[in-house]
Amino acid sequence: MPSAYLLVSHGSRDPRPDIAVQQLAKLVSQKLPNSENLVGTATLEVKTHPLHQQIYDFAQTALVLGYKSLKIVPLFLVPGVHVMIDIPAEVELVKAVLGQDMIIDLKRYLGSYGNLEKLLTPTMASIKAEVSILLAHGSRRFGSQQPIETMARNLGLVVAYWSISLNLESRVTELVVAGYKQIAILPYFLFTGGITDAIAESVEKLKLQFPEVMFKLAPPLGESTELADVIWDLATEGEKVFG
C-alpha cells in the first residue's frame, strides 16, 4: 500500500479556507491512479479536537485500511512558531502513542519549496504595474522573514507584511513618495478568507488616500491543480511513488 497523506493548515472560523483545503486534498488524491492513496486534512486551530488528536484519528483510519506510513504536509508559507514548534510538538505526541505501528514523516512546510515561486509568475505577467508588492502575513519568530525576502528578490518584488512592521500602508507610502503611479499588490496567502477581505478593504482606503495612483490587487494563490502539484512534489520528496 502507498503512504497516507495529511495536509495540515492553520484553520479558520471562516468556512472558505476549509473548503479550499478540502478541494486541494481531492486534487492531491488524484496524483495516483484510481486515487489509491489516502489524503486527509487537519487544522492546528479552531477544530474541536487538538491537532495531535486529529492526526491520531486519521492514522487509526489509515492503519485499518492497511497503511503503515503517514506523510504530514504543513500548508504554511513561512517558518513561524506554528511550523517550527507547534506542529512538530503535536506530531511527537502522536508518535509516542503509535510507536512502530505507523511511520510518521513530517515533511517540509509548503513555503520552503522553491517551485512555489512559479505559481506567482502568471499573476505577475497578467498584472502590469510599475512596481509590485509581495504582501505576506509575517511572523515575529526571528529569521522567519528570510524566505519571503529571498522570494521577492528572485521575482523582482518589494515586500510588505500584514501583521508586523513594514506594513502595506508604509510600503505604499514609500513607493508613492518615490514616484510610482502603478502599484500591484500580490497577497502571499493560500486562500481567500478574512485576511484577504481585510487586505481588499485596506487597498480601497489606499485608493482614497492616493487617488493619483492606480492600484491592482491580485487574488491569493488559491486551490488549483498547480498548487496541488507543488504539494504532491513536496509530500513525495525523496521517494518513488508507485500507482
Side-chain angles (χ1 to χ4, degrees), residues 84-163:
M84 304 305 294
I85 298 176
D86 297 339
I87 294 177
E90 295 287 305
V91 170
E92 288 302 316
L93 289 175
V94 181
K95 285 183 176 181
V97 175
L98 292 178
Q100 298 300 312
D101 292 341
M102 173 72 75
I103 298 173
I104 299 179
D105 181 11
L106 178 59
K107 310 301 289 189
R108 291 192 289 139
Y109 71 98
L110 180 60
S112 67
Y113 199 55
N115 280 357
L116 205 60
E117 289 183 10
K118 70 181 182 182
L119 300 185
L120 294 173
T121 305
T123 300
M124 293 173 58
S126 64
I127 298 182
K128 303 299 182 182
E130 295 175 321
V131 63
S132 296
I133 299 172
L134 183 64
L135 178 60
H137 186 279
S139 170
R140 300 189 185 282
R141 181 180 176 274
F142 178 77
S144 62
Q145 272 62 258
Q146 187 57 51
I148 305 299
E149 304 287 343
T150 299
M151 174 179 285
R153 184 167 57 252
N154 292 342
L155 295 173
L157 308 174
V158 296
V159 177
Y161 296 100
W162 183 250
S163 64

Side-chain angles (χ1 to χ4, degrees), residues 5 30 50 60 90 94 102 111 127 140 157 165 168 187 190 195:
Y5 299 89
Q30 296 169 6
Q60 288 297 317
E90 295 287 305
V94 181
M102 173 72 75
I127 298 182
R140 300 189 185 282
L157 308 174
S165 59
L168 180 60
L190 287 176
I195 292 180

Side-chain angles (χ1 to χ4, degrees), residues 158-193:
V158 296
V159 177
Y161 296 100
W162 183 250
S163 64
I164 59 176
S165 59
L166 192 53
N167 60 25
L168 180 60
E169 183 178 357
S170 62
R171 177 61 89 183
V172 166
T173 301
E174 289 179 3
L175 295 174
V176 172
V177 170
Y180 290 100
K181 299 296 184 182
Q182 294 180 330
I183 300 176
I185 300 165
L186 283 65
Y188 190 51
F189 292 81
L190 287 176
F191 312 117
T192 298

